[in-house]
Amino acid sequence: MNMQKRVFTGLLLLMSVAAMAQSEPLQNIAGRKILSLNGRWNYITDPYENGYYDYRHKPYDASASGAGGFYDNKKARGNDLVEYNFDNSPTLRVPADWNSQSEKLTFYEGTIWYRQQFTLAPAAGKKYFLYFGAVNYEAHVYLNGKKLGMHKGGFTPFQFDVTDKLTNGLNTVVVKADNTRHQDEIPTINTDWWNYGGITRDVYVAEVECTHILDYKIQLDKSDAKSIIGFVSVAGNGKGQAVSVLIPEAGIKTQVTTNDSGYAAIKLTPKQLSLWSPQNPKLYQVQLVLNGDTLTDKIGFRTIEVKGQDILLNGRSVFLSGICLHDENPLIPGRLRSQGDMRMMLQWARELNCNYVRLAHYPHNEEMLRLADEMGLMVWAEVPVYWTISWQNPETYANAEKQLSDMIARDKNRASVVVWSVGNETPVSEPRNVFMGKLVARVRQLDNTRLVSAALEVHREGEKAYVNDPLGEKLDLASFNEYAGWYWGGVPSNITKYAYEVKYNKPVLITEFGGDALGGYHADENTRWSEEYQAALYRNQFVLLGKMPGLRGMTPWILCDFRSPRRQEPYYQDFFNRKGLISETGKKKLAFDVLKTYYQTMQQQYNTGNKK
Ligand code: GCU
């Protein structure tokens, strides 16, 4: 067999072994027995990927020996030549993006190698998984010098079965994280948010029994609010396993038995049930018991549906008083690092009288969804199918569908999630309609208990703006972004002469509107970048949007100023998108109270049942 063929075979073998190590992420990772690997990891910046390719640009980890890359964590002995050394390298905090941790890395796009070491005494009869909450964007993961596998996608969890790869003692994890943007990826090369790279979410080693609960879904039946349905799946020797399902406060104590493939459907009739809502964010303790092993979760029960132009939460028409959020802390720009960061963001949303948030434009941290459950905020969750995606590339579609499926798999038990969004502002074309239509179908296949939508675009002719995107036919909501008063339509007082014509008889949700204001800059209402201009824009938007009979909610863009590489005006922007209602110093701008008051009025109208 010639050299080329040997290398190719080696590569295939390696990829198949690596692929074998990757396994479906455990549902409710935080409820498992976990060892956290969070903390300071040594790192090596590697712009030329010198730790991955040899000088002939062949991947070290595809070579027969598999030796040579930085993942080997080699230490120079005597006169050895080793041109890297994690022990003497600086450290980065994990979880956190690298851009916000060092001036040198603010704009860095490329590869960074991370290394962490931990001691573990693996027990017989147990299985061990190495779990990552998210790595942006492409991660190659090695344990004790051996490749576990590769993952693409910057915002969804992944894990590897490391049961027979751990040593009884010191173990070394090395991660090659690469946030380089590419046209054919999801998202594509052009976005209006900072390309924060690195291990941005938690890293755990989870220990479970060989036969363990892998996944479950326990939600209110969409068609019958008196019954709870779902499933539980058992991995390992999954066949014929008895799983107890207990929801004590709902008077449920039952048992199901898995079939030959380790799967058991669940159908429960609670004796009493207090439905989850923003006014009453009731969460029930749910316990799943397998062979004496108890897995506990907190789950809320509610229904969400559309009827004509109404959105019904538990059968009642609601107005979604929302706001958009990026996964970024304005005060210390960078990905939200902890529960404290996330609680601060959602607390600001509550202060705004919101009952709803749009977590743009990608899956946020699982903890964010659990907090939304607890704090009573409905959620629009979204995958980063954003702008000019490579619609005709099958690998791009597979990537988008995988990120969508992984988001739904992770958050399917969160009462707060009411909308799955398949994308944002994607330009209309036949290939795009096919691509997005398949994603919509995939959502309906995976989860029929929630709404599916996308943020569409409007197109304008004279003083009319039309919402007639063909994708809208397939969505549950007529949801679209519009920037009257900022990107078009003149000054704020001028926009009330326009009118939106929505082709669909569906609830109308404005997924974005807004304008920039530099916090603390004051001028008259017609002076761009002033807080007065932004506040006037919001007041006139309510007049413009109030003309639509089907208006059932909005998520103005955006709660906080956020970093963007596309916003270079040195004084007003300085690489910040300034559409936030809160500045990056935590200052609430004038428009904050304008929106807060408007939502107060809308909630009063809906709560007294006499919505206009
Ligand atoms: C778009 C896009 C946002 C962007 C915003 C803006 O609608 O969805 O991601 O930040 O407009 O231009 O500020």
Side-chain angles (χ1 to χ4, degrees):
M1 191 190 290
N2 66 31
M3 185 57 189
Q4 252 71 11
K5 207 160 179 188
R6 239 202 316 273
V7 167
F8 180 71
T9 313
L11 193 55
L12 277 182
L13 181 68
L14 198 96
M15 282 166 70
S16 58
V17 167
M20 265 161 39
Q22 190 148 163
S23 66
E24 184 187 340
L26 292 164
Q27 174 65 219
N28 184 9
I29 187 70
R32 311 290 181 151
K33 187 179 175 191
I34 50 177
L35 168 67
S36 170
L37 300 190
N38 293 346
R40 302 208 72 91
W41 291 44
N42 294 94
Y43 78 96
I44 297 170
T45 309
D46 188 8
Y48 280 48
E49 301 197 293
N50 189 38
Y52 187 72
Y53 295 102
D54 64 20
Y55 79 112
R56 293 293 188 224
H57 213 252
K58 290 270 176 296
Y60 284 112
D61 67 8
S63 66
S65 68
F70 286 3
Y71 53 84
D72 252 1
N73 192 27
K74 276 245 175 316
K75 292 179 181 45
R77 288 185 184 75
N79 205 23
D80 288 359
L81 170 61
V82 177
E83 295 183 270
Y84 68 95
N85 181 328
F86 278 110
D87 292 339
N88 300 342
S89 296
T91 62
L92 280 174
R93 195 175 50 253
V94 168
D97 61 273
W98 63 57
N99 313 72
S100 56
Q101 296 192 59
S102 155
E103 196 71 33
K104 287 190 291 184
L105 299 176
T106 302
F107 284 88
Y108 182 68
E109 292 188 308
T111 283
I112 282 190
W113 292 85
Y114 290 80
R115 188 214 58 190
Q116 180 62 286
Q117 297 189 298
F118 63 96
T119 308
L120 184 72
K126 306 283 188 189
K127 283 195 83 69
Y128 293 88
F129 296 101
L130 178 58
Y131 176 97
F132 292 84
V135 178
N136 188 42
Y137 173 81
E138 180 174 313
H140 292 250
V141 182
Y142 307 85
L143 178 65
N144 300 326
K146 293 279 179 295
K147 181 149 199 181
L148 297 178
M150 183 274 278
H151 178 268
K152 270 195 204 179
F155 306 98
T156 42
F158 57 100
Q159 73 177 36
F160 300 100
D161 184 342
V162 294
T163 308
D164 50 14
K165 299 178 174 67
L166 290 166
T167 61
N168 185 347
L170 188 68
N171 290 275
T172 301
V173 182
V174 170
V175 178
K176 174 188 182 290
D178 178 2
N179 72 336
T180 307
R181 290 164 294 121
H182 300 284
Q183 171 56 42
D184 291 348
E185 296 301 331
I186 298 287
T188 182
I189 205 155
N190 187 23
T191 66
D192 191 23
W193 69 78
W194 209 262
N195 179 26
Y196 288 115
I199 306 176
T200 53
R201 295 187 187 154
D202 297 318
V203 185
Y204 301 128
V205 177
E207 178 191 275
V208 295
E209 296 299 326
C210 276
T211 297
H212 58 276
I213 291 170
L214 170 63
D215 195 9
Y216 56 88
K217 179 178 185 179
I218 298 177
Q219 288 281 283
L220 205 54
D221 185 341
K222 180 170 181 171
S223 53
D224 171 10
K226 292 197 174 20
S227 82
I228 292 170
I229 58 171
F231 71 86
V232 58
S233 67
V234 174
N237 174 18
K239 183 177 167 184
Q241 293 290 344
V243 181
S244 302
V245 183
L246 303 115
I247 313 179
E249 259 197 283
I252 286 177
K253 183 175 181 179
T254 183
Q255 195 171 81
V256 293
T257 304
T258 57
N259 62 18
D260 290 359
S261 45
Y263 177 96
I266 290 175
K267 187 166 175 61
L268 311 167
T269 310
K271 291 191 174 56
Q272 66 280 334
L273 206 58
S274 170
L275 298 186
W276 183 94
S277 72
Q279 295 80 5
N280 172 42
K282 173 66 182 165
L283 299 176
Y284 284 85
Q285 188 194 63
V286 175
Q287 293 172 321
L288 298 169
V289 187
L290 169 66
N291 303 329
D293 224 12
T294 301
L295 180 58
T296 303
D297 204 342
K298 289 191 288 186
I299 298 179
F301 299 103
R302 52 101 192 93
T303 61
I304 188 78
E305 56 197 314
V306 292
K307 194 173 173 191
Q309 290 202 304
D310 278 324
I311 299 172
L312 305 179
L313 173 69
N314 302 324
R316 270 197 72 189
S317 177
V318 289
F319 186 86
L320 300 186
S321 308
I323 192 76
C324 288
L325 276 75
H326 262 305
D327 175 2
E328 179 176 304
N329 181 330
L331 309 179
I332 329 160
R335 288 288 175 235
L336 296 170
R337 297 161 182 79
S338 66
Q339 196 197 90
D341 282 9
M342 298 170 212
R343 203 176 279 277
M344 172 186 75
M345 299 293 279
L346 296 178
Q347 195 50 45
W348 275 331
R350 295 294 292 163
E351 264 183 68
L352 206 46
N353 289 328
C354 290
N355 61 9
Y356 167 63
V357 288
R358 176 181 179 217
L359 300 184
H361 286 291
Y362 36 73
H364 286 219
N365 196 308
E366 180 176 355
E367 185 58 31
M368 196 73 167
L369 283 308
R370 289 181 176 278
L371 283 173
D373 273 6
E374 179 195 309
M375 296 170 73
L377 285 161
M378 291 178 278
V379 167
W380 164 299
E382 186 163 287
V383 283
V385 177
Y386 181 96
W387 288 357
T388 51
I389 297 290
S390 297
W391 306 114
Q392 294 180 282
N393 181 328
E395 283 172 27
T396 306
Y397 176 77
N399 184 349
E401 187 177 278
K402 178 80 169 62
Q403 292 190 39
L404 179 69
S405 308
D406 290 352
M407 173 175 75
I408 294 174
R410 188 193 71 177
D411 300 332
K412 57 183 175 286
N413 289 308
R414 304 280 73 79
S416 51
V417 180
V418 294
V419 182
W420 299 119
S421 166
V422 296
N424 178 74
E425 288 194 354
T426 52
V428 178
S429 73
E430 193 42 34
R432 167 268 193 181
N433 298 346
V434 170
F435 188 107
M436 299 300 273
K438 283 168 67 178
L439 287 181
V440 170
R442 183 67 176 141
V443 174
R444 296 201 189 285
Q445 192 184 29
L446 290 171
D447 177 12
N448 70 356
T449 66
R450 293 175 172 86
L451 309 180
V452 56
S453 204
L456 305 176
E457 289 186 305
V458 301
H459 80 263
R460 297 189 315 282
E461 287 164 29
E463 292 177 0
K464 276 245 184 250
Y466 297 92
V467 180
N468 53 10
D469 182 329
L471 178 61
E473 303 281 359
K474 299 186 169 141
L475 306 179
D476 291 319
L477 303 165
S479 35
F480 60 94
N481 298 348
E482 53 88 7
Y483 278 93
W486 187 254
Y487 291 124
W488 54 271
V491 294
S493 55
N494 189 48
I495 65 176
T496 52
K497 73 181 184 191
Y498 287 92
Y500 286 111
E501 202 158 290
V502 180
K503 178 179 176 186
Y504 309 107
N505 177 36
K506 300 180 179 187
V508 175
L509 218 49
I510 310 300
T511 32
E512 288 178 35
F513 72 76
D516 288 57
L518 175 63
Y521 173 55
H522 294 285
D524 64 41
E525 292 189 354
N526 294 333
T527 302
R528 253 186 213 283
W529 308 108
S530 71
E531 288 197 32
E532 286 74 11
Y533 186 104
Q534 187 187 48
L537 187 150
Y538 272 68
R539 279 194 296 273
N540 285 280
Q541 275 281 353
F542 301 147
V543 174
L544 166 62
L545 298 174
K547 292 189 247 178
M548 277 190 288
L551 182 69
R552 291 293 177 275
M554 56 177 69
T555 42
W557 190 259
I558 184 168
L559 180 66
C560 298
D561 291 354
F562 63 95
R563 269 204 177 131
S564 167
R566 303 178 72 243
R567 308 295 173 171
Q568 287 102 330
E569 204 291 329
Y571 179 74
Y572 294 110
Q573 294 179 318
D574 186 22
F575 288 110
F576 276 92
N577 182 312
R578 297 284 185 201
K579 295 189 182 67
L581 296 179
I582 299 175
S583 75
E584 85 280 16
T585 61
K587 177 191 185 313
K588 295 185 177 76
K589 303 173 190 175
L590 293 174
F592 184 97
D593 281 342
V594 173
L595 182 61
K596 177 177 179 174
T597 308
Y598 173 75
Y599 281 163
Q600 202 165 22
T601 314
M602 294 311 287
Q603 290 319 316
Q604 279 158 2
Q605 278 183 23
Y606 274 73
N607 293 343
T608 50
N610 57 2
K611 67 183 183 347
K612 285 204 178 101

